[in-house]
Amino acid sequence: MDWYMMNCELLATCSALGYLEGDVYHREPDCLESVKDLIRYLRHEDETRDVRQQLGAAQILQNDLLPILVQYPQDKALFDAVIRLMVNLTQPALLCFGKVPSDAASRHYFLQVLSYLQAYKEAFASEKVFVVLSEKLYNLLQLDWEQRQEEDTLLIERILLLVRNVLHVPPDPTEEQQGVDGDASVHDRVLWALHISGMDDLLKFLASAQVEQQWALHVLEIISLMFRDQSPEELAALGQGTAGAEHGEDTRELESLRQRELAEKRARALQRPSRHSRFGGSYVLQGFKSIGDRDVVFHKGLHNLKTYTHDLGKEPQRVPRHRQAAPESEPSRRSARNVRLFLRHFCQDFLEGCYNRLMLLVKDQLVREKAQQHDETYYLWATAFFMAFNRCRGFRPELVSETVGVRAFHFIEQNLTTYYEMALMDKKEATTWARRMHLALKAYQELLRTVQEMDRSPEQAVRDSSQVIKSNIFYLMEYRELFLALFRKFDETKQPRSFLRDLVETAHLFLRMLERFCRGRANLVVQSKRVRRKKKPRAPAPPAPPSAAELEQLWEGLAPQLQACLEGEVPLPEDVVPFDAASETPVEEQRAEALLRIQECLRDSRVPQALRLLRSARDVWPEGDVFGAADAGPPEETQLLREILVAPLPSESPAVTPGRGKTVGRCGPSAHPTAGHAPEEPEEEEEEDEEEEEQTVQVSEKEFNFLDYLKRFACAPVVRALVLLLRGYAQNSPRTNHCAARLLHRLARDLRMEPLLFQLSLFALFHRLLSDPAAAAHQELVALAKFILGKFFALAATNKKAFVELLFWKSPAIVCEMTKGYSSLQEGEGTTRSRVSPWTPQEEQELQELYWKYKEVEGGDIIAAILAHLPPPGRTRRQVVKQLVRMGLASSAKDFQQERKGTRIVLWTQEQEEELTRLFEEFQGSDDVLGNIMKHLTARRSRARVVEKLLGLGLVAERKELFKKRRRKGHGHGPGPGQAAVSVPAVPAQDSSGEDEDSEEEEEEDEDEAEEGPMEEHWVPEEGAGQDLAQHLHQEGLAGPLRWLETCLRRVAGDREEDGVSHPVPLVPLTEENEDAMEDRRFRTLLRQLGLRPPASEQESFWRIPAALTPQQLRRAAASIARHGHDPSGSPQDPPEPPGCPQDPAPAEPLPAGLGSDSESEEPVPVPIPVPSPVQPRTKRRRELASEDEDEDGGSSGTEPAPAAPCSEEDEEDEDPQPRGRRKRIRCLEEEEEEEEEDEG
């Protein structure tokens, strides 16, 4: 579309504005109405911004609006309307389109709007326009608050927004390329017009006036745009000496280029022979193979030999877009000298009269969340810029006192960590988050430099203040671990090279300050985490249940007392309540606990209490006649109490919280007392009964060792980042090269880990450096290269494998092996050390004898037989297999693979398909179609295979039709959980441990089923949930990630208690060990059991602690994985991270599979006794209270997700207790856990 062909309505409206005759603009009578019509048209433009483009093409702002603004400022209504229209026309293109469009057509529109904005900016480079704006703003500011109307306040804000929009327009790249440093660009001309009109003085007044504090963020944003292309060091150095001194950096750069050119000329002169040879000759390069097996034949002169390579003449391989290096931000451009002088004076006046007050107001608005999203970036920029200017322009700490202190460090570190986490989670906007992270890093660097400058101050009070700041910064662990995390996650495709440069310089400065701080103190104490280990005693055996004869004898003694109670001779207590109203378990699910309490009263000879409990429970749960019919008489009650007394109900163990009915363990669908036998436990269950080391984590203090801290930097990511930065050593500043070389020198020299730098890419860099004619300008790098190369060739003389090691990045353990021998590391040393005790020679001998003894036994599991006869301490299956391979008795772990049950059942016969069809038609209307089919199938199949076959037969269209249906409260009119228990024969239970063990494909399909939809609803974890799996992960060497998870849960619990607000908190692993654990399927299973939420969409990368979990529930979840190191009650009065308590109770026995089995079906389950089967006691699953905006904010663009809506306990009780499909997900996770345990067993 040709935008110069305007819409007829727009053309008529623009024609009604007026016309320009010479320098005089004549407005039409309908000028005001025409301006309002244009505002209305802009409000209703489409997504291509057609109205904006047509107005830009017609140059309405240059030819009509600006002349009206200049010539008719006294017409208040017209002036206000024109300002409104210009604010709309000049708003940034990113605000118009939301983001930079990806498709070609939208991008064309975006660039077109951007070109019109650049034309508007050039039109605003006029003193007349800014004089009118300044005078109008001055007159408005002269009004007192009593006289200032709402229209005046809006006009002040619109003028500030207009100035902001004009300064925000980016420069035209073609104009920037044509100009040179020192020329006046469009931006410089706008700044000069702003200065001539006095607008800069008004900005300083707004920043310092007490009554104008509401404009603080507007003023700070305008100031940041004014200094967008400036360098604080250059502005500070301006006017401090002669012109030669001001251009000292340029002089040094030109001298370096001149030396390089002279060196190249000398090198070419030495290579050129004195007499021209007509015959260049041909040479054979020995050891340089050609395409075949022969050596290369070289047909050029010998002076070209050094530049020969096989890559000559080849086209360079194109780098994919997603692997290209991140582009650098706009380079700083030197403005005209008069503009820089004006900006330098502005900086001086701003620091002396406005900086501290303005930064205080802005930070207050940021903390109170009164600002817009991401406005903290202006605060970070101002901190870095003006503190650098103050440091270079005669350091005066009182001018920047507001942003120097521990609070400033904390604020910047918090934002830097937030940007870091969001860059990892929000992949699509990672580049944007990286730019914000760069701003925070530069502010952090400038804070460190300011503190370093305070150490050199002649005033003792200033030096004391710097010591206090450093002691606080170096004490906390978060500040020490910050640089390691940034190095570890540096991505050159998302973060520019300038970010890496600032990161290296800041890390070098931090290490130097920390080293000097430690040097002056004998014993430096810092915060650390301490791990307490002790042997965990075995759980006490539960008391043996009374025999049938003892129960009969007890009943004979209770019968007379019961008869007296029934006849009314003995009064019944009135204060007996069959349920706990304060419990988190719903009342409907407390029937099993009521049965336990009745049986306990009977066995304690408290007959009145038992009878009262029975009658009260009948009133609370009348459905299904679980506690007898409503009109039950004394004979029926007597018979029911007798059956409850002799029923094999689970006895309450110490791990059951009184009044809550939560037990540690789970009841599967096939674990029912009618089966006559308990379900088989995996082999790992036996190993967990052995004594183990109990580990608890608590924050403590320890003596700091600088070399131990420096060893944390001795890793491949840090070395790789330093090598990447040094590749551009010729373009780097001398300070950048010094910082990178000093860090490498610390790793190689101070830690004596020279092999850490034995890497081929670094050696190629050294080769290029030593061959550089201008290498004399990089003496520090040359000295480092010679030192590392000398150490390498010295090591290569004794270790011939050193040349192969050049191909790999190395760790400290590999460095130790390279220097001391590849067998120098004993078991348990190095980076992969574990807490598993080493094998003694006696144990190895016994293992070898058991292996040869059971090797020839056919049809048996060798490892299972060995595990059964190994003496304590018990070993896991993986440890035994690993040791057998290490001893040479087996070639690999594949020799001992377990045969999974059911793997041979692959094909479906016609009879089995007919049976599946018949069962589907029979149970199609039930609540749990798949569960009923699984119970009645003749040939045992996995759930995934049955679902796949149902889909293949066309009986169901999608998997969701097979999900278990959830019954809402008050709508369950079907039979109770225990109806018809006497008449229906018992159904033998199936082995739940082998139900889903057909193949690994089944596990993947089950995971796919569990992850089909985002987890928008969260359940409350049971007390002790994940305890068994946590113990298993402890044995597998994941004690560190478990301690990290426990600390995160307790920290979030403390924060929620302190703030009173709950919002989802991401779990961000900052160490490689924790990252590996988050990729472990069993560790993720543990997270699900604890109630944590996986990433809800592709924009999220981390698991999150849901907002619905209360601090008490978080502490119980932490206690369940702390290996009985904490109090499971999770009292709110407990500290966030209490020390372990050795008196904590042992885990409870699992609830027998008969009572409360509600995990698979709500159909009546037959039992061999007339006592109905109540619902299993379980915690209520809560619906997430946060709105949809919470997920969007937490996943893509918010630094702090929106808090969940406040909700009381009564509101939570009214919600649906069970989300649809949740039990199926829990069952899938439990089956995966059982498969893992059998794999390990």
Side-chain angles (χ1 to χ4, degrees):
M1 176 180 180
D2 188 3
W3 299 112
Y4 292 94
M5 299 297 294
M6 293 186 63
N7 182 277
C8 57
E9 296 181 0
L10 275 179
L11 182 60
T13 305
C14 295
S15 301
L17 290 173
Y19 60 94
L20 184 65
E21 185 177 2
D23 294 337
V24 179
Y25 189 87
H26 302 276
R27 62 176 179 175
E28 297 289 346
D30 297 334
C31 181
L32 178 60
E33 286 73 14
S34 300
V35 172
K36 293 181 179 179
D37 289 339
L38 291 178
I39 296 174
R40 192 178 303 111
Y41 290 147
L42 285 173
R43 189 181 302 126
H44 299 287
E45 63 182 350
D46 59 8
E47 64 276 0
T48 63
R49 304 297 180 257
D50 54 343
V51 177
R52 193 177 304 271
Q53 295 193 54
Q54 294 184 47
L55 294 179
Q59 299 183 357
I60 296 298
L61 186 140
Q62 297 94 315
N63 298 332
D64 295 277
L65 299 182
L66 287 180
I68 293 175
L69 184 75
V70 173
Q71 296 188 21
Y72 302 99
Q74 68 279 0
D75 191 340
K76 184 176 181 181
L78 181 61
F79 186 88
D80 186 36
V82 171
I83 290 292
R84 287 175 56 196
L85 180 57
M86 288 196 298
V87 168
N88 197 338
L89 285 175
T90 58
Q91 68 179 355
L94 281 176
L95 290 180
C96 298
F97 290 87
K99 62 178 182 179
V100 179
S102 56
D103 57 301
S106 300
R107 183 181 289 270
H108 172 72
Y109 298 144
F110 177 84
L111 295 177
Q112 196 71 29
V113 170
L114 190 61
S115 64
Y116 295 141
L117 289 175
Q118 292 167 352
Y120 294 160
K121 185 174 183 177
E122 187 172 2
F124 267 94
S126 170
E127 299 178 9
K128 297 180 180 179
V129 176
F130 274 97
V131 166
V132 172
L133 293 176
S134 301
E135 290 179 353
K136 178 62 69 172
L137 183 60
Y138 177 79
N139 295 331
L140 293 173
L141 294 177
Q142 290 296 318
L143 298 176
D144 296 334
W145 279 100
E146 296 80 6
Q147 301 174 356
R148 191 178 300 179
Q149 303 296 324
E150 184 178 0
E151 294 80 7
D152 300 330
T153 304
L154 289 176
L155 186 56
I156 293 175
E157 184 177 9
R158 286 168 183 157
I159 292 176
L160 294 177
L161 287 178
L162 179 61
V163 175
R164 190 277 311 266
N165 291 345
V166 172
L167 294 174
H168 189 274
V169 177
D172 188 0
T174 58
E175 179 192 2
E176 296 293 332
Q177 292 177 359
Q178 294 175 358
V180 295
D181 282 351
D183 288 349
S185 62
V186 175
H187 190 75
D188 293 341
R189 286 187 277 135
V190 171
L191 289 179
W192 187 251
L194 183 145
H195 170 60
I196 294 299
S197 64
M199 180 70 74
D200 55 339
D201 296 329
L202 294 177
L203 293 176
K204 287 183 285 188
F205 170 76
L206 289 173
S208 58
Q210 176 72 24
V211 295
E212 307 293 347
Q213 59 184 7
Q214 60 175 327
W215 314 115
L217 272 170
H218 292 79
V219 173
L220 185 61
E221 187 175 1
I222 292 174
I223 292 174
S224 67
L225 294 173
M226 289 171 57
F227 292 90
R228 180 173 55 188
D229 299 334
Q230 307 300 324
S231 170
E233 290 81 5
E234 293 183 359
L235 287 181
L238 187 65
Q240 290 186 351
T242 61
E246 295 177 7
H247 297 83
E249 186 66 27
D250 297 341
T251 304
R252 287 190 294 270
E253 185 177 354
L254 289 175
E255 183 64 24
S256 175
L257 292 175
R258 181 172 176 274
Q259 292 294 333
R260 181 187 297 271
E261 184 179 3
L262 292 177
E264 290 177 353
K265 286 183 178 179
R266 287 194 298 268
R268 288 195 298 268
L270 292 175
Q271 292 176 359
R272 187 180 301 111
S274 59
R275 179 176 180 273
H276 174 70
S277 174
R278 296 178 179 270
F279 307 99
S282 297
Y283 305 92
V284 176
L285 305 182
Q286 293 183 358
F288 210 138
K289 298 297 182 183
S290 61
I291 298 177
D293 295 335
R294 298 181 180 180
D295 294 334
V296 173
V297 178
F298 189 65
H299 297 283
K300 296 183 180 180
L302 291 179
H303 60 278
N304 296 322
L305 181 61
K306 291 184 178 181
T307 60
Y308 177 77
T309 175
H310 283 312
D311 296 331
L312 290 177
K314 296 181 181 179
E315 293 184 2
Q317 187 177 5
R318 189 181 66 87
V319 181
R321 180 175 299 178
H322 67 279
R323 292 184 181 179
Q324 294 179 359
E328 295 288 341
S329 58
E330 297 179 1
S332 59
R333 182 184 181 277
R334 183 174 300 167
S335 301
R337 181 177 175 82
N338 56 347
V339 175
R340 285 185 287 142
L341 286 172
F342 141 65
L343 293 177
R344 187 199 65 183
H345 291 300
F346 182 90
C347 284
Q348 292 177 350
D349 297 340
F350 182 78
L351 278 173
E352 293 176 358
C354 311
Y355 178 81
N356 286 329
R357 173 170 179 77
L358 182 65
M359 299 300 280
L360 176 63
L361 294 175
V362 170
K363 186 175 181 181
D364 180 71
Q365 295 185 20
L366 293 175
V367 172
R368 297 177 181 271
E369 298 183 355
K370 295 181 179 179
Q372 295 182 0
Q373 200 173 21
H374 309 312
D375 275 350
E376 71 277 358
T377 55
Y378 301 110
Y379 179 88
L380 298 175
W381 173 88
T383 300
F385 187 90
F386 288 105
M387 291 183 70
F389 182 85
N390 177 63
R391 177 175 51 84
C392 299
R393 184 78 177 180
F395 179 69
R396 295 172 59 186
E398 66 275 6
L399 298 182
V400 292
S401 59
E402 176 58 35
T403 53
V404 177
V406 179
R407 292 185 178 181
F409 272 99
H410 173 71
F411 181 78
I412 295 176
E413 186 270 338
Q414 193 176 27
N415 283 279
L416 182 58
T417 305
T418 303
Y419 298 150
Y420 164 78
E421 294 172 357
M422 294 304 300
L424 297 180
M425 291 190 297
D426 191 2
K427 300 295 184 182
K428 294 183 179 180
E429 299 294 332
T431 304
T432 304
W433 290 111
R435 286 199 295 266
R436 298 182 182 127
M437 189 172 15
H438 194 184
L439 282 175
L441 180 63
K442 289 197 289 189
Y444 193 87
Q445 178 186 13
E446 197 52 49
L447 278 179
L448 290 176
R449 288 187 175 182
T450 301
V451 172
Q452 184 187 32
E453 198 70 26
M454 291 171 64
D455 285 338
R456 306 169 184 169
S457 175
E459 301 179 10
Q460 182 63 33
V462 177
R463 295 197 300 270
D464 293 342
S465 299
S466 69
Q467 293 298 321
V468 172
I469 294 175
K470 288 192 295 184
S471 62
N472 283 276
I473 298 305
F474 297 148
Y475 173 79
L476 294 177
M477 189 187 315
E478 289 78 10
Y479 299 103
R480 301 196 305 269
E481 301 293 328
L482 179 62
F483 299 103
L484 290 169
L486 294 178
F487 269 119
R488 187 178 294 112
K489 290 300 181 181
F490 175 76
D491 186 2
E492 60 177 328
T493 62
K494 304 294 188 302
Q495 296 161 313
R497 189 72 62 89
S498 57
F499 175 84
L500 180 59
R501 180 195 65 224
D502 289 329
L503 175 59
V504 170
E505 293 181 2
T506 310
H508 165 72
L509 178 61
F510 185 84
L511 287 174
R512 187 173 63 179
M513 293 175 63
L514 181 58
E515 183 181 19
R516 293 179 179 178
F517 189 79
C518 298
R519 191 179 301 167
R521 288 163 178 78
N523 298 318
L524 177 62
V525 178
V526 297
Q527 187 186 71
S528 179
K529 293 181 180 179
R530 185 172 58 184
V531 181
R532 287 184 177 179
R533 303 181 182 90
K534 66 175 182 178
K535 291 293 183 179
K536 185 182 69 175
R538 295 185 181 182
S547 61
E550 294 175 349
L551 291 176
E552 288 294 335
Q553 184 178 359
L554 177 61
W555 176 253
E556 293 176 0
L558 296 178
Q561 188 178 0
L562 178 60
Q563 187 66 24
C565 293
L566 291 173
E567 294 177 356
E569 299 178 1
V570 177
L572 301 181
E574 298 296 337
D575 57 347
V576 177
V577 181
F579 63 91
D580 184 6
S583 175
E584 296 176 359
T585 306
V587 176
E588 289 78 4
E589 299 181 8
Q590 294 189 29
R591 285 181 289 186
E593 184 182 355
L595 278 177
L596 290 174
R597 294 175 60 188
I598 294 174
Q599 186 184 67
E600 181 182 358
C601 290
L602 289 174
R603 294 186 179 183
D604 292 344
S605 301
R606 292 179 292 159
V607 178
Q609 289 83 353
L611 183 59
R612 172 56 66 186
L613 272 175
L614 178 67
R615 293 178 177 177
S616 301
R618 184 189 307 152
D619 297 336
V620 176
W621 298 288
E623 63 274 3
D625 295 341
V626 176
F627 295 94
D631 55 350
E636 290 82 2
E637 291 179 341
T638 302
Q639 181 64 22
L640 189 56
L641 287 175
R642 175 185 174 88
E643 292 167 352
I644 293 177
L645 175 64
V646 299
L649 301 180
S651 59
E652 190 170 336
S653 60
V656 179
T657 304
R660 296 183 181 270
K662 297 180 184 177
T663 59
V664 180
R666 59 179 184 269
C667 299
S670 59
H672 202 275
T674 61
H677 63 277
E680 297 179 5
E681 297 291 338
E683 297 177 2
E684 290 292 335
E685 295 286 334
E686 301 176 0
E687 299 177 5
E688 292 175 358
D689 292 338
E690 301 294 335
E691 292 186 358
E692 300 173 344
E693 281 190 352
E694 184 179 8
Q695 300 176 357
T696 58
V697 182
Q698 65 178 7
V699 176
S700 60
E701 294 181 340
K702 72 171 185 179
E703 186 175 349
F704 181 76
N705 190 331
F706 179 75
L707 289 181
D708 291 342
Y709 174 70
L710 188 60
K711 289 178 183 178
R712 303 286 305 279
F713 289 84
C715 57
V718 176
V719 179
R720 189 184 297 116
L722 293 174
V723 173
L724 178 63
L725 180 61
L726 286 178
R727 287 178 183 173
Y729 69 92
Q731 291 78 30
N732 294 340
S733 65
R735 173 174 175 76
T736 301
N737 289 333
H738 166 73
C739 294
R742 189 69 183 92
L743 280 175
L744 291 176
H745 184 269
R746 286 182 184 275
L747 300 179
R749 183 72 174 180
D750 298 352
L751 298 180
R752 301 184 182 277
M753 290 187 181
E754 295 88 355
L756 193 68
L757 306 185
F758 295 169
Q759 219 284 329
L760 193 59
S761 58
L762 182 59
F763 279 22
L765 173 63
F766 287 162
H767 174 71
R768 183 161 61 92
L769 173 66
L770 297 176
S771 303
D772 192 352
H778 311 286
Q779 289 296 332
E780 193 172 10
L781 292 178
V782 171
L784 176 65
K786 293 181 178 179
F787 171 74
I788 296 300
L789 292 175
K791 291 292 183 179
F792 171 76
F793 289 115
L795 179 63
T798 57
N799 184 4
K800 300 301 181 182
K801 298 180 181 179
F803 294 96
V804 181
E805 295 284 0
L806 286 174
L807 302 175
F808 308 98
W809 299 98
K810 285 160 279 295
S811 63
I814 299 177
V815 169
C816 182
E817 288 186 337
M818 289 179 63
T819 54
K820 300 181 181 179
Y822 288 96
S823 60
S824 59
L825 283 182
Q826 302 297 326
E827 185 175 2
E829 296 182 358
T831 57
T832 60
R833 61 180 182 271
S834 63
R835 305 193 185 279
V836 180
S837 58
W839 291 75
T840 62
Q842 293 79 7
E843 291 176 344
E844 291 181 353
Q845 180 66 24
E846 187 171 0
L847 177 63
Q848 186 175 5
E849 293 175 357
L850 290 174
Y851 173 75
W852 291 114
K853 178 180 179 181
Y854 295 103
K855 180 181 179 182
E856 305 300 331
V857 178
E858 297 183 359
D861 190 355
I862 302 177
I863 305 301
I866 293 176
L867 288 172
H869 294 81
L870 274 180
R875 302 283 183 173
T876 63
R877 182 183 182 91
R878 181 176 298 178
Q879 294 171 6
V880 172
V881 172
K882 187 176 180 180
Q883 185 64 23
L884 288 175
V885 174
R886 184 179 298 156
M887 295 171 61
L889 300 177
S891 58
S892 67
K894 297 181 180 180
D895 299 341
F896 305 103
Q897 290 183 349
Q898 283 183 296
E899 182 180 358
R900 295 176 176 266
K901 300 178 182 180
T903 53
R904 297 175 182 174
I905 304 178
V906 178
L907 300 178
W908 290 74
T909 63
Q910 184 177 0
E911 292 78 9
Q912 292 172 349
E913 291 181 355
E914 293 176 355
E915 179 188 14
L916 180 62
T917 305
R918 176 180 57 80
L919 291 175
F920 175 77
E921 294 175 353
E922 179 181 354
F923 299 106
Q924 187 174 6
S926 62
D927 293 340
D928 189 7
V929 182
L930 186 58
N932 293 326
I933 292 176
M934 296 296 301
K935 290 179 182 178
H936 295 84
L937 269 181
T938 304
R940 189 172 61 184
R941 301 274 184 171
S942 68
R943 304 180 72 89
R945 300 299 182 201
V946 174
V947 171
E948 181 182 355
K949 194 61 181 177
L950 289 173
L951 292 171
L953 294 175
L955 299 177
V956 294
E958 54 185 0
R959 298 174 184 263
K960 295 181 180 179
E961 299 180 14
L962 299 175
F963 286 176
K964 185 176 179 181
K965 298 180 178 61
R966 172 170 52 91
R967 292 188 178 183
R968 298 181 180 272
K969 294 192 297 183
H971 298 280
H973 302 291
Q979 285 184 355
V982 180
S983 58
V984 182
V987 180
Q990 298 178 358
D991 186 5
S992 62
S993 63
E995 186 175 282
D996 287 349
E997 297 180 351
D998 285 82
S999 66
E1000 295 182 1
E1001 298 176 2
E1002 167 208 335
E1003 296 176 1
E1004 298 174 358
E1005 293 175 8
D1006 285 348
E1007 289 180 1
D1008 293 339
E1009 288 182 19
E1011 297 176 1
E1012 279 184 358
M1015 297 180 62
E1016 297 178 355
E1017 298 178 1
H1018 307 277
W1019 68 91
V1020 178
E1022 298 182 1
E1023 184 171 349
Q1027 187 175 19
D1028 298 337
L1029 183 56
Q1031 293 179 358
H1032 180 68
L1033 294 176
H1034 269 282
Q1035 292 182 349
E1036 294 299 325
L1038 293 179
L1042 287 175
R1043 293 195 302 271
W1044 164 71
L1045 176 60
E1046 177 196 358
T1047 303
C1048 291
L1049 293 174
R1050 293 188 182 278
R1051 185 177 301 166
V1052 173
D1055 293 342
R1056 291 183 178 179
E1057 279 187 351
E1058 180 180 355
D1059 300 338
V1061 178
S1062 299
H1063 55 81
V1065 178
L1067 286 176
V1068 182
L1070 298 181
T1071 63
E1072 295 182 1
E1073 183 182 13
N1074 295 341
E1075 289 178 1
D1076 297 339
M1078 294 300 290
E1079 296 176 0
D1080 191 288
R1081 186 160 53 89
R1082 289 166 299 175
F1083 193 83
R1084 294 198 300 266
T1085 301
L1086 175 64
L1087 296 181
R1088 288 181 184 271
Q1089 292 182 3
L1090 297 179
L1092 273 62
R1093 177 172 69 83
S1097 63
E1098 62 181 6
Q1099 294 183 352
E1100 294 185 1
S1101 301
F1102 297 106
W1103 286 68
R1104 293 176 180 270
I1105 301 175
L1109 294 182
T1110 63
Q1112 293 83 0
Q1113 295 158 4
L1114 291 175
R1115 285 200 175 91
R1116 279 197 296 272
S1120 64
I1121 63 175
R1123 308 183 68 184
H1124 307 285
H1126 302 286
D1127 183 11
S1129 62
S1131 158
Q1133 287 79 13
D1134 294 340
E1137 298 177 3
C1141 179
Q1143 287 81 14
D1144 286 346
E1149 289 296 324
L1151 185 66
L1155 292 171
S1157 180
D1158 190 29
S1159 59
E1160 280 299 316
S1161 175
E1162 297 186 7
E1163 296 295 324
V1165 182
V1167 293
I1169 60 174
V1171 180
S1173 203
V1175 181
Q1176 173 189 356
R1178 61 169 66 217
T1179 56
K1180 185 188 75 170
R1181 299 184 173 98
R1182 298 180 176 176
R1183 186 181 302 272
E1184 186 178 12
L1185 302 177
S1187 62
E1188 295 179 357
D1189 295 337
E1190 175 181 330
D1191 290 336
E1192 296 175 1
D1193 295 340
S1196 61
S1197 62
T1199 58
E1200 294 184 2
C1207 180
S1208 63
E1209 291 294 329
E1210 291 78 11
D1211 296 336
E1212 293 176 355
E1213 291 293 336
D1214 293 337
E1215 295 178 358
D1216 295 338
Q1218 176 71 33
R1220 184 178 300 275
R1222 181 65 63 207
R1223 296 174 185 170
K1224 177 178 181 65
R1225 295 188 182 100
I1226 297 176
R1227 174 177 37 73
C1228 292
L1229 295 175
E1230 291 175 350
E1231 291 164 356
E1232 291 175 3
E1233 178 188 38
E1234 290 172 357
E1235 285 188 11
E1236 287 294 331
E1237 290 175 348
E1238 288 208 4
D1239 290 344
E1240 299 298 329

